[in-house]
């Protein structure tokens, strides 16, 4: 599956995108949710979340920091590879970036996606972005080889484990030993999770990779008891998504007598809006209401090991370096020009309309 031929002349960092001023919030959200059956009430609520931060998502700035760190690590490794930045949902749009790459004479580039995961939202949709951007660029579009899923990369696992220790240290002394570790990732519709990955693997690739990453981080932190929960659910209420939700889970932990938590956002590479709002605001408020001590572990994007991981992933392609990772769940995601990982990989289930009928 992995392409090992050398001869790449650029690296494209491909991400989700986010608004950088209040006037961008609505149009950004319309891009994200086009054709996805997200109810208008949910969109109005999400607009408010962005407005709490002045209409600015931290995600683009964080990605620019990640790019600067990758540039440093590439230089240290003696690899000459200019970096381009493009997004699915907001400027710089990947279509514009790939057109720029073509006019700069880039013929073949690697693509680093800011999602570590398999599944439609975490993998296949990034393949679709690659294909759409190449189509838009027309003749002369570069060949684009996407980097694989990296959910279990030891550098990222180590960064998360250290972040849990640091978060634990930030708690009042009496809670440091006993705080319950709770991993959290973005919820997705249960039907999308059932279809995640190649069908012959039995599906559920996303939730299996998230569970495996949590297990690896817990093992690296010397923890044998932890929970995995989900956050930021969207879509119509009658559609099942992965559960439990983090705030419901804090309530049930409280009923069981837990009075301190360390929350680790295992599903996210950086502190974008779903971390700073759904965790640092909503979940933290819930914990306060329950009289529970709360600490949130840092995301790995700003850790130097994250950029070192990207260089290792690049070296898999330009130098035939071995894949590192101790996860037992398979990794896919490296294909040419947006082709799928496998036949019928991550098929999208029919989306319910707001009237409740499937389309
Ligand atoms: C698995 C997954 C990841 C992790 C993988 C990856 O990183 O790619 C992720 C990341 C992100 N999700 C983000 C933002 C949003 N996600 C939404 C909606 C949705 N996410 C979904 C899944 C995921 N999302 C799904 C199944 C939907 C329902 C609509 C649909 O079927 O597509 C909506 C619409 C409003 C709402 O309903 O919340 C917004 C605004 C941001 C940027 C935050 C910022 O601006 O800082 C980031 C990094
Ligand atoms: Fe999302």
């Amino acid at each position: 599956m992995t392409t090992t031929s050398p001869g790449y002349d650029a690296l494209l960092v491909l991400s989700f995108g986010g608004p950088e001023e209040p006037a961008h919030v609505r149009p950004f959200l319309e891009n994200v949710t086009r054709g996805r059956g997200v109810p208008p009430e949910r969109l109005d609520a999400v607009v408010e979340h962005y407005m709490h931060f002045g209409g600015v998502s931290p995600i683009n700035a964080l990605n620019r920091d990640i790019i600067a760190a990758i540039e440093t690590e590439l230089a240290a490794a003696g690899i000459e590879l200019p970096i381009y930045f493009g997004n699915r949902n907001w400027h710089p749009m990947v279509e514009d970036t790939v057109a720029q790459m073509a006019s700069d004479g880039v013929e073949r580039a690697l693509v680093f996606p800011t999602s570590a995961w398999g599944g439609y939202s975490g993998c296949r949709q990034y393949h679709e972005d690659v294909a759409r951007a190449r189509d838009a660029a027309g003749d002369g579009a570069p060949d684009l080889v996407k980097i694989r899923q990296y959910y279990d990369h030891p550098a990222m696992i180590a960064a998360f484990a250290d972040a849990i220790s640091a978060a634990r240290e930030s708690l009042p002394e009496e809670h440091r030993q006993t705080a319950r570790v709770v991993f959290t990732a973005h919820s997705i519709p249960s039907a999308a999770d059932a279809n995640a990955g190649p069908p012959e693997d039995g599906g559920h690739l996303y939730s299996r990779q998230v569970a495996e990453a949590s297990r690896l981080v817990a093992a690296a932190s010397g923890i044998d008891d932890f929970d995995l929960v989900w956050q930021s659910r969207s879509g119509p209420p009658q559609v099942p998504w992965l559960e439990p939700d983090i705030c419901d889970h804090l309530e049930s932990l409280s009923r069981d007598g837990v009075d301190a938590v360390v929350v680790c956002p295992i599903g996210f590479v950086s502190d974008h809006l779903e971390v700073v709002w759904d965790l640092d605001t909503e979940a933290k408020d819930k914990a306060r209401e329950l009289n529970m001590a709360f600490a949130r572990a840092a995301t790995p994007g700003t850790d130097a090991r994250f950029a070192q991981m990207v260089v290792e992933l690049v070296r898999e392609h330009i130098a035939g370096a071995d894949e590192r990772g101790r996860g037992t769940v398979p990794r896919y995601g490296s294909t040419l020009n947006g082709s799928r990982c496998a036949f019928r990989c991550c098929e999208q289930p029919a989306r319910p309309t707001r009237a409740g009928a499937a389309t």
Side-chain angles (χ1 to χ4, degrees):
M1 187 135 304
T2 304
T3 313
T4 49
S5 54
Y8 292 91
D9 37 24
L11 174 66
L12 167 61
V13 171
L14 178 57
S15 193
F16 196 95
E20 293 185 280
E21 55 177 88
H24 294 168
V25 173
R26 281 263 170 203
F28 158 75
L29 289 174
E30 280 157 16
N31 288 348
V32 177
T33 57
R34 187 165 297 130
R36 310 224 85 98
V38 173
E41 309 80 76
R42 166 71 189 168
L43 269 202
D44 293 340
V46 177
V47 168
E48 282 311 304
H49 302 169
Y50 281 91
M51 291 311 175
H52 280 281
F53 296 89
V56 183
S57 164
I59 194 170
N60 285 355
L62 291 166
N63 278 325
R64 292 189 183 103
D65 292 346
I66 287 173
I67 287 168
I70 300 170
E71 280 167 349
T72 303
E73 296 297 337
L74 282 174
I79 300 169
E80 245 181 84
L81 216 50
I83 305 183
Y84 289 83
F85 176 33
N87 292 313
R88 176 189 304 156
N89 300 302
W90 203 249
H91 305 280
M93 296 293 264
V94 64
E95 291 89 340
D96 298 333
T97 306
V98 170
Q100 182 67 50
M101 293 167 80
S103 77
D104 290 349
V106 173
E107 290 177 358
R108 189 172 166 84
L110 286 166
V111 180
F112 174 73
T114 56
S115 163
W117 315 105
Y120 182 77
S121 305
C123 180
R124 184 174 156 195
Q125 221 177 340
Y126 288 100
H127 289 316
E128 293 177 355
D129 298 335
V130 164
R132 194 181 60 253
R134 291 190 71 258
D135 282 350
D139 289 345
D143 275 336
L144 296 175
V145 175
K146 185 174 159 296
I147 283 172
R148 66 173 175 85
Q149 296 153 16
Y150 49 91
Y151 79 92
D152 62 338
H153 198 285
M156 188 173 73
I157 299 295
F160 270 124
D162 287 352
I164 288 180
S165 306
R168 195 188 283 286
E169 286 307 305
S170 77
L171 286 169
E173 178 124 41
E174 69 269 27
H175 294 304
R176 287 184 197 157
Q177 292 304 311
T178 56
R180 178 96 186 154
V181 173
V182 178
F183 293 95
T184 172
H186 203 302
S187 187
I188 62 171
S190 306
D193 190 54
N195 283 0
E200 60 272 24
D201 267 16
H204 304 279
L205 186 67
Y206 175 68
S207 60
R208 286 160 59 214
Q209 288 181 343
V210 172
E212 183 72 346
S214 304
R215 186 185 70 77
L216 291 166
V217 172
S221 313
I223 304 160
D224 44 31
D225 222 11
F226 59 88
D227 306 311
L228 169 59
V229 302
W230 309 93
Q231 65 173 87
S232 318
R233 79 149 283 163
S234 171
Q238 71 273 17
V239 175
W241 284 53
L242 297 179
E243 286 180 357
D245 174 80
I246 177 134
C247 289
D248 296 339
H249 186 66
L250 294 181
E251 286 184 356
S252 71
L253 285 177
S254 174
R255 282 194 296 274
D256 294 343
V258 172
D259 62 359
V261 288
V262 171
V263 172
C264 174
I266 187 82
F268 301 104
V269 154
S270 56
D271 281 12
H272 52 63
L273 203 94
E274 295 177 327
V275 175
V276 297
W277 176 261
D278 299 27
L279 298 180
D280 294 352
T281 311
E282 285 188 338
K284 196 174 179 182
D285 284 353
K286 173 61 74 181
R288 190 178 301 121
E289 177 191 316
L290 297 166
N291 215 1
M292 193 183 254
F294 178 98
R296 200 264 292 170
T299 48
T302 49
D303 188 304
R305 286 171 289 191
F306 190 80
Q308 288 156 7
M309 171 191 78
V310 177
V311 173
E312 285 193 35
L313 293 168
V314 165
R315 286 177 46 78
E316 290 178 13
H317 292 266
I318 65 171
D322 287 341
E323 289 188 16
R324 288 211 297 140
R326 297 195 163 179
T328 59
V329 180
R331 321 173 190 104
Y332 302 92
S334 182
T335 71
L336 172 67
N337 294 340
S339 57
R340 281 208 233 172
C341 302
F343 183 59
R344 296 182 65 97
C345 198
C346 298
E347 285 286 270
Q348 273 286 76
R351 284 173 185 282
T353 63
R354 282 196 287 118
T359 46

